[in-house]
């Protein structure tokens, strides 16, 4: 298949979504890369949004963020070339570990990886807008790299009607209402990801449609999300984090700096990792 760049040699399709397809390709010097091909359905409306996202990922560089390589336009598509994370996604690992669960060491390691990449983005005034296990890629060293900076939301908006599967499960209530996005909206998504690592499913997995999801969020977080399973299996740190991140009231929801300083059991390993950057 011709992707529009003769230096790209497609090997296989890695995934398909409403946005288009993701290809595994050989690139210059036989480098393995990932190419996200986005179908531009409405050029006047979509192109500006897509190129803004491309600009964002081209400007960030961090060990826990997927590395942008290049982009080009071809036959009604925008193609984004990125490094290839060979070990799948966090969603794959959650599915594989559902029967036995994660170890505390793995929860800590993966959570710190996500925190570090998200902190980098927030310091640079960038919202991710689409944090979910499927957008957290695993590299050859078993570390997480954040990918997909909301580009898929252009064709799959969070507040769309229909099934609640996928992105909506990780979307904050203010996002589902169509309100202004906030840094703490990413924190809600991170809380849902942490909950899923600990329990094996989303806290709102019983929702079958958007109405169900909105109702479940309202009911389950009316007082405080029930994290007794997490507290019994993994300890109070992880239960408290989930409770304080998955809080409907934006003012009461914990911020990212508060997450980082919440408990020495998290703060110390986080900053040990922080000062061991390898670019």
């Amino acid at each position: 298949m011709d992707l529009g760049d003769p230096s790209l040699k497609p090997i296989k399709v890695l995934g398909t979504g409403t946005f288009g397809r993701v290809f595994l390709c050989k690139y210059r010097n036989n480098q393995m890369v990932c190419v996200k091909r986005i179908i531009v359905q409405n050029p006047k409306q979509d192109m500006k949004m897509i190129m803004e996202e491309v600009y964002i990922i081209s400007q960030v560089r961090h060990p826990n963020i997927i590395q942008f390589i290049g982009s080009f336009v071809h036959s009604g598509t925008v193609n984004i070339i990125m490094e290839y994370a060979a070990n799948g996604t966090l969603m794959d690992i959650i599915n594989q570990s559902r029967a036995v669960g994660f170890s505390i060491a793995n929860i800590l390691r993966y959570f710190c990886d996500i925190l570090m990449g998200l902190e980098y983005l927030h310091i640079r005034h960038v919202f991710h807008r689409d944090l979910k296990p499927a957008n957290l890629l695993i590299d050859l060293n078993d570390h997480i790299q954040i990918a997909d900076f909301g580009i898929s939301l252009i064709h799959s908006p969070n507040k769309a009607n229909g099934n609640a599967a996928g992105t909506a499960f990780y979307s904050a209530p203010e996002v589902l209402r169509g309100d202004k996005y906030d840094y703490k909206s990413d924190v809600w998504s991170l809380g849902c990801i942490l909950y899923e690592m600990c329990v094996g499913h989303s806290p709102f997995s019983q929702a079958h449609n958007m109405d169900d999801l909105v109702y479940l969020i309202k009911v389950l977080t009316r007082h405080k999300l029930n994290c007794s399973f997490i507290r019994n299996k993994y300890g109070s740190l992880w239960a408290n984090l989930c409770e304080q991140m998955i809080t409907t009231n934006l003012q009461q929801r914990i911020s990212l700096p508060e997450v980082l300083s919440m408990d020495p059991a998290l703060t110390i390993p986080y900053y040990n990792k922080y000062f061991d950057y390898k670019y």
Side-chain angles (χ1 to χ4, degrees):
M1 178 181 180
D2 178 17
L3 293 181
D5 182 339
S7 60
L8 287 169
K9 309 298 181 187
I11 297 173
K12 64 178 180 179
V13 176
L14 294 174
T16 302
T18 53
F19 60 85
R21 289 182 175 182
V22 179
F23 296 88
L24 175 64
C25 300
K26 278 189 178 180
Y27 197 43
R28 300 163 186 165
N29 301 319
N30 285 327
Q31 178 187 4
M32 302 298 287
V33 298
C34 176
V35 178
K36 182 166 187 174
R37 166 166 274 201
I38 304 167
I39 300 170
V40 182
Q41 298 176 350
N42 186 336
K44 287 186 178 179
Q45 177 180 325
D46 295 349
M47 202 63 183
K48 182 176 183 294
M49 297 172 66
I50 293 171
M51 296 315 294
E52 283 177 355
E53 296 293 346
V54 171
Y55 174 76
I56 288 171
I57 61 175
S58 71
Q59 299 301 303
V60 297
R61 182 175 176 82
H62 188 275
N64 296 115
I65 297 175
I66 204 74
Q67 181 64 48
F68 171 86
I69 296 173
S71 65
F72 61 94
V73 177
H74 176 69
S75 298
T77 66
V78 175
N79 299 266
I80 305 171
I81 308 171
M82 300 168 284
E83 67 176 310
Y84 173 53
N87 284 339
T89 70
L90 183 61
M91 190 74 256
D92 297 330
I93 296 178
I94 289 172
N95 289 335
Q96 294 162 10
S97 305
R98 194 162 280 134
V100 295
F102 280 60
S103 68
I104 292 179
N106 279 343
I107 290 174
L108 177 63
R109 182 160 52 86
Y110 289 143
F111 189 71
C112 283
D113 282 348
I114 306 167
L115 269 182
M116 198 156 292
L118 191 58
E119 183 194 28
Y120 173 91
L121 292 175
H122 284 188
I123 287 172
R124 284 151 183 80
H125 310 290
V126 174
F127 304 132
H128 186 276
R129 298 191 300 141
D130 197 18
L131 274 180
K132 57 185 178 181
N135 286 342
L136 300 173
L137 310 183
I138 313 297
D139 68 15
L140 287 172
N141 297 315
D142 201 27
H143 286 292
I144 284 181
Q145 294 179 313
I146 299 174
D148 202 349
F149 287 69
I151 290 173
S152 62
L153 297 183
I154 294 166
H155 296 320
S156 301
N158 284 358
K159 54 187 179 181
N161 293 322
N163 291 335
T167 295
F169 276 134
Y170 309 96
S171 296
E174 63 273 11
V175 176
L176 296 176
R177 290 193 302 266
D179 293 347
K180 185 178 179 181
Y181 207 94
D182 189 273
Y183 291 106
K184 288 185 179 181
S185 303
D186 278 343
V187 172
W188 170 284
S189 303
L190 179 58
C192 292
I193 292 166
L194 174 59
Y195 184 100
E196 191 161 352
M197 282 196 288
C198 293
V199 179
H201 58 77
S202 161
F204 313 111
S205 59
Q206 294 181 4
H208 299 294
N209 53 53
M210 193 60 67
D211 289 339
D212 282 356
L213 178 61
V214 171
Y215 175 76
L216 274 176
I217 289 174
K218 182 178 180 180
V219 170
L220 296 180
T221 64
R222 179 172 291 156
H223 300 294
K224 186 184 288 186
L225 186 69
N226 184 354
C227 294
S228 56
F229 174 86
I230 298 174
R231 183 168 280 104
N232 292 334
K233 184 171 182 179
Y234 295 108
S236 60
L237 166 62
W238 303 108
N240 291 340
L241 277 169
C242 285
E243 289 170 353
Q244 294 184 48
M245 287 193 287
I246 308 175
T247 298
T248 302
N249 188 306
L250 194 63
Q251 301 305 314
Q252 295 177 2
R253 191 181 307 156
I254 194 171
S255 67
L256 206 60
E258 289 168 336
V259 169
L260 297 175
S261 61
M262 184 174 175
D263 191 296
L266 174 62
T267 305
I268 293 172
Y270 178 84
Y271 281 106
N272 283 340
K273 175 180 168 60
Y274 190 95
F275 291 110
D276 191 32
Y277 271 156
K278 291 182 174 64
Y279 285 96

